[in-house]
Amino acid sequence: MKAIMIMFDTLNRHMLSAYGGPDWIKTPNFKRLAERTAVFDNSYVGSMPCMPARRELHTGRYNFLHRSWGPLEPFDDSAIERLGEAGIYTHLITDHQHYWEDGGGTYHTRFNSFELIRGQEGDPWKAEVNSADINLGKDFPPQVKRMLVQDRTNRKFIKEQEQFPQAQTFASGLDFIERNHGESHWFLQMETFDPHEPFYSPEQFKQLYAHEYEGGLGDWPMYGPVTETPEDVQHMRYEYAALLTMCDHYLGKVLDMMDKHNLWESTLLIVNTDHGFLLGEHDQWAKCVQPFYNEVAHTPLFIWDPRTGVQGERRQSLVQSIDIPATLLEFFQVQLPPDMQGVPLRQTVESDKPVRKAALFGIHGGHVNVTDGQYVYMRASISAENQPLYNYTLMPTHMRSRFHPSELQKLELAEPFSFTKKIKMLRIPAEMRGNLHAYGTLLYDVTADPEQAHPLKDPEVESKMVELMTKLMRENDAPPEQFERMGLSGPPID
């Protein structure tokens, strides 16, 4: 038995042909993939964004109620590590640069082996002491400016298609498959940062979406409300589409390899993403600094399970990223950790058997969201101060830095949670950047209003969704102050 997971970052479900995307966006291999797999129509994110989502892919547990961005914790049960301990060879090939930053340093080392491809986004890869020739067109905050300058420096070394990090990632993945297709008991995670911004792609893909444009938006939108023109928005969608078609191109190469060696007989194939991206929808760019609309939270997911033989069928059951590690463990007949909340999806692939009534999702300090597949309820904090809020961690690092000493001056030791193996945690005061409270609490019927254009005012439905949310938060052993922050009835005090 073998398994391959192809993971894209920021893959927009609503722009894929397999999900009814617009005809002008070229994704024929995603359509081809849909014809060979079970296609999940009700897949949702869990914890946002990148590394919180990847913690879920190891632990099968929600991250966002207890902690922001950070590494795997000492008490975490990594499904990848469990596979290795059970004799399943695990290999990671990725160009996702967050793996080698402070906030991601314990993920890739759970694999038996790994290969990291450099150069994506603001990866501090190529050195240029004097970058005075790089003109960004306008001024940016220092951290953003550093990333933009570094990205421009990296691009000087990424010109030909085979030099692009995505191309190198897939080339290495295909090489692994070619050399090991005759072996058994292995798992390959082939993960590219694309089509995450910046939307930089080779010329051959840009030419598919050639258009006249005289604006200065480039290919890297800044997070937040759209202040640009409709022409700017359409330009950015073309830039994203070019990179998306590049992703489709390399996906096709993996499908060709599956065909060449008839890997369909013995190989589990999962194609997934961590989240989507707003390209002007709801008058917003990007993610995380606004509510998690369906363009971000409602994700594509494709699974081929050779034990079921199901292909070309749609699945309506509500699933999440926490189900993927459970699915991998079950496939290789490895026992699931007792703290794992995700559920193996074999029977869902086979017969659309439901695995949950509702799904919780969000970002640390933001809206807490719940969906039952019909309604999406986004609950905002009850005050603009967005307090109380704490990080619970034994690994105090942010995305690209350690916690500053000033953040640690008020830390306390907190009692263990149900999943921390009797280990006390650091309890560190936290803040959420931005003001998500200003968006208020939102309720949508996404079956009748899939674009979430008409928020509902329905006390009966809201009461039902609050009940689901509270139940799931309790099952996750959410900190008591999360209930207070959201104005919810918390767990009983012992």
Side-chain angles (χ1 to χ4, degrees):
M1 304 293 277
K2 302 176 270 282
I4 299 171
M5 186 170 82
I6 304 172
M7 185 172 182
F8 298 93
D9 195 303
T10 315
L11 185 65
N12 275 349
R13 175 187 187 275
H14 63 290
M15 299 180 82
L16 297 177
S17 55
Y19 283 96
D23 292 341
W24 64 269
I25 300 178
K26 298 171 175 58
T27 56
N29 288 302
F30 278 100
K31 183 178 180 181
R32 175 183 167 197
L33 174 70
E35 294 168 351
R36 294 301 306 258
T37 62
V39 182
F40 285 80
D41 287 328
N42 236 349
S43 171
Y44 274 81
V45 301
S47 300
M48 288 284 294
C50 297
M51 298 322 291
R54 283 154 183 79
R55 188 184 182 205
E56 291 190 347
L57 288 173
H58 282 255
T59 66
R61 290 189 59 85
Y62 298 127
N63 168 94
F64 75 96
L65 291 169
H66 298 86
R67 197 193 71 174
S68 57
W69 188 298
L72 284 170
E73 299 280 355
F75 51 80
D76 280 343
D77 294 306
S78 165
I80 304 302
E81 197 162 40
R82 288 212 165 199
L83 289 175
E85 292 168 351
I88 310 301
Y89 192 92
T90 59
H91 184 60
L92 169 70
I93 300 170
T94 183
D95 60 9
H96 196 289
Q97 80 284 358
H98 294 312
Y99 277 109
W100 54 88
E101 294 172 335
D102 289 338
T106 58
Y107 291 90
H108 57 279
T109 47
R110 306 279 70 78
F111 290 80
N112 289 117
S113 55
F114 54 86
E115 184 175 357
L116 306 178
I117 308 296
R118 302 298 300 269
Q120 287 278 23
E121 199 188 30
D123 174 22
W125 174 42
K126 293 297 186 181
E128 191 168 67
V129 176
N130 184 2
S131 57
D133 63 324
I134 295 178
N135 180 14
L136 300 178
K138 61 180 180 178
D139 200 17
F140 292 93
Q143 184 176 354
V144 174
K145 182 177 181 179
R146 183 204 65 78
M147 289 180 59
L148 292 170
V149 169
Q150 181 65 61
D151 177 69
R152 297 290 181 87
T153 300
N154 292 344
R155 292 191 194 192
K156 295 178 181 180
F157 301 87
I158 305 172
K159 299 291 188 182
E160 303 302 322
Q161 183 172 328
E162 63 271 13
Q163 296 174 321
F164 278 71
Q166 182 191 156
Q168 295 184 57
T169 298
F170 276 88
S172 293
L174 292 167
D175 176 68
F176 177 92
I177 297 171
E178 187 64 58
R179 288 185 293 104
N180 295 286
H181 67 86
E183 305 296 331
S184 193
H185 306 298
W186 54 256
F187 167 60
L188 169 65
Q189 182 168 328
M190 196 185 317
E191 178 182 346
T192 180
F193 194 59
D194 292 330
H196 192 289
E197 78 281 357
F199 307 135
Y200 180 47
S201 62
E203 189 62 27
Q204 76 171 78
F205 298 107
K206 289 185 181 297
Q207 284 301 317
L208 296 173
Y209 305 95
H211 58 287
E212 294 184 5
Y213 177 66
E214 297 180 356
L217 195 54
D219 56 20
W220 196 336
M222 295 295 104
Y223 288 36
V226 173
T227 59
E228 294 82 3
T229 68
E231 180 189 17
D232 290 323
V233 172
Q234 187 58 51
H235 162 74
M236 196 61 73
R237 290 176 179 174
Y238 284 135
E239 295 297 288
Y240 177 89
L243 189 52
L244 178 57
T245 298
M246 182 182 183
C247 293
D248 181 86
H249 170 79
Y250 284 103
L251 169 66
K253 289 184 176 294
V254 179
L255 300 182
D256 291 344
M257 183 71 77
M258 296 279 291
D259 291 340
K260 175 183 175 182
H261 296 296
N262 196 23
L263 292 174
W264 303 103
E265 286 190 354
S266 60
T267 306
L268 176 73
L269 176 65
I270 300 172
V271 178
N272 68 320
T273 190
D274 48 1
H275 52 72
F277 195 86
L278 289 163
L279 286 161
E281 300 90 352
H282 308 282
D283 294 321
Q284 293 282 340
W285 292 119
K287 60 185 186 289
C288 298
V289 298
Q290 60 280 110
F292 286 123
Y293 297 109
N294 266 5
E295 288 84 358
V296 173
H298 196 186
T299 53
L301 176 64
F302 307 82
I303 299 179
W304 161 257
D305 189 331
R307 299 169 300 178
T308 69
V310 171
Q311 58 181 335
E313 296 185 18
R314 316 292 292 203
R315 294 293 177 255
Q316 303 307 314
S317 296
L318 184 59
V319 300
Q320 291 190 274
S321 54
I322 58 173
D323 298 322
I324 291 177
T327 300
L328 286 168
L329 290 174
E330 187 274 333
F331 179 77
F332 286 109
Q333 300 179 12
V334 177
Q335 185 175 0
L336 274 63
D339 295 326
M340 185 170 282
Q341 295 174 300
V343 180
L345 296 179
R346 176 181 180 173
Q347 293 185 0
T348 311
V349 170
E350 190 168 41
S351 62
D352 212 0
K353 181 180 179 180
V355 295
R356 63 177 49 80
K357 292 182 178 179
L360 205 63
F361 60 96
I363 189 172
H364 187 256
H367 285 72
V368 176
N369 311 274
V370 68
T371 181
D372 63 358
Q374 177 179 359
Y375 296 100
V376 170
Y377 180 59
M378 308 171 172
R379 190 174 180 95
S381 60
I382 59 173
S383 71
E385 288 73 27
N386 197 32
Q387 294 293 326
L389 182 65
Y390 295 91
N391 265 306
Y392 292 87
T393 182
L394 296 175
M395 306 286 288
T397 61
H398 297 300
M399 181 191 301
R400 298 185 178 91
S401 67
R402 298 164 293 175
F403 274 45
H404 192 272
S406 62
E407 295 179 87
L408 302 174
Q409 289 174 356
K410 294 184 179 180
L411 72 78
E412 303 170 321
L413 272 183
E415 291 303 308
F417 291 102
S418 60
F419 55 90
T420 62
K421 299 180 173 57
K422 299 182 179 181
I423 301 171
K424 292 185 177 182
M425 304 289 289
L426 300 179
R427 184 174 183 258
I428 306 169
E431 294 182 359
M432 173 65 188
R433 292 181 181 177
N435 184 18
L436 286 170
H437 169 80
Y439 290 92
T441 293
L442 299 166
L443 173 66
Y444 295 97
D445 180 344
V446 294
T447 57
D449 178 24
E451 294 182 356
Q452 294 171 303
H454 307 288
L456 301 176
K457 297 293 182 183
D458 189 324
E460 184 177 344
V461 173
E462 182 171 5
S463 177
K464 170 193 168 186
M465 301 307 289
V466 166
E467 183 178 346
L468 288 172
M469 177 179 289
T470 304
K471 179 177 183 292
L472 289 172
M473 289 175 66
R474 289 174 175 173
E475 290 176 357
N476 191 232
D477 199 8
E481 71 271 10
Q482 287 281 14
F483 294 89
E484 180 181 350
R485 183 177 73 93
M486 307 308 295
L488 296 171
S489 174
I493 300 174
D494 295 333

